[in-house]
């Protein structure tokens, strides 16, 4: 794995994910002489799942949470007719690292559009509502556990053809 790397905004852990199945979470600590140490990897694997993006969710000083955009293809892979491919859903999943138990668990999962391709962390704790912005073809949406989705279309140039979709391909977040 290593195609996707995401860090907890408070610098306590990071997730390394492969395109398919494998996800590892590493805990970051400081030793007695204040040198950074990296703990053993904790597995957060999900079989038959393709990963599209990963980001660290800002949850303040609660347990670190990572958002993953993934597609479970187990049913489509087992269906010889090929009809199950149309029914597969892309999911936004939260993985939580329990620092007390040193364990990673799936916390929350919700379907998103199949055109979703990118995640952007929203500031949390005292700085904002937390959650993620999900980017897809021609739209962006705010999603968070226990909050309804807020969706907005991407602005389009006047001379840009309607047949062509718009995709966000890069992101950056600024904090003051």
């Amino acid at each position: 794995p290593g195609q996707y790397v995401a860090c907890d905004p408070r610098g306590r852990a990071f997730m390394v994910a492969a395109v398919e199945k494998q996800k590892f979470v590493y805990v970051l600590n400081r030793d007695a002489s204040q040198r950074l140490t990296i703990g053993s990897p904790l597995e957060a694997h999900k079989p038959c799942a393709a990963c599209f993006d990963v980001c660290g969710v800002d949850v303040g000083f609660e347990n670190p949470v990572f958002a993953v955009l993934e597609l479970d293809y187990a049913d489509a892979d087992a269906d010889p007719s090929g009809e199950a491919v149309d029914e597969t859903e892309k999911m936004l999943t939260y993985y939580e690292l329990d620092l007390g138990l040193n364990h990673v668990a799936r916390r929350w999962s919700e379907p998103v559009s199949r055109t979703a391709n990118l995640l952007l962390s929203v500031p949390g704790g005292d700085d904002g509502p937390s959650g993620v912005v999900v980017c897809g073809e021609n739209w962006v949406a705010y999603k968070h556990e226990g909050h309804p989705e807020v969706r907005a279309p991407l602005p389009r140039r006047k001379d840009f053809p309607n047949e062509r979709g718009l995709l966000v391909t890069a992101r950056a977040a600024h904090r003051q």
Side-chain angles (χ1 to χ4, degrees), residues 12-73:
R12 300 169 294 175
F14 66 94
M15 178 181 266
V16 178
V19 171
E20 191 172 7
K21 180 185 166 187
Q22 295 182 324
K23 293 175 208 64
F24 292 101
V25 177
Y26 294 85
V27 179
L28 301 172
N29 287 308
R30 299 241 177 226
D31 63 12
S33 60
Q34 294 301 309
R35 287 181 298 173
L36 185 66
T37 61
I38 300 174
S40 298
L42 302 170
E43 294 181 355
H45 303 329
K46 183 175 182 200
C48 298
C51 182
F52 291 86
D53 200 19
V54 176
C55 79
V57 180
D58 191 349
V59 290
F61 290 104
E62 295 176 23
N63 284 329
V65 175
F66 298 94
V68 179
L69 201 55
E70 59 190 8
L71 183 123
D72 185 348
Y73 61 83

Side-chain angles (χ1 to χ4, degrees), residues 159-170:
D159 60 343
F160 196 79
N162 287 333
E163 307 83 53
R164 293 186 53 198
L166 298 172
L167 282 176
V168 177
T169 58

Side-chain angles (χ1 to χ4, degrees), residues 77-139:
D77 202 27
D79 181 20
S81 69
E83 294 173 7
V85 172
D86 296 332
E87 297 170 11
T88 57
E89 290 185 313
K90 199 176 275 189
M91 304 293 282
L92 173 63
T93 305
Y94 279 9
Y95 289 90
E96 180 178 15
L97 167 63
D98 189 327
L99 292 169
L101 297 175
N102 212 26
H103 174 74
V104 180
R106 292 180 73 213
R107 174 172 155 175
W108 175 72
S109 190
E110 187 171 297
V112 293
S113 169
R114 288 188 65 174
T115 66
N117 68 314
L118 197 73
L119 298 173
L120 175 64
S121 182
V122 174
D126 294 334
D127 300 327
S130 188
V132 293
V133 172
V134 181
C135 303
E137 189 173 356
N138 299 322
W139 57 269

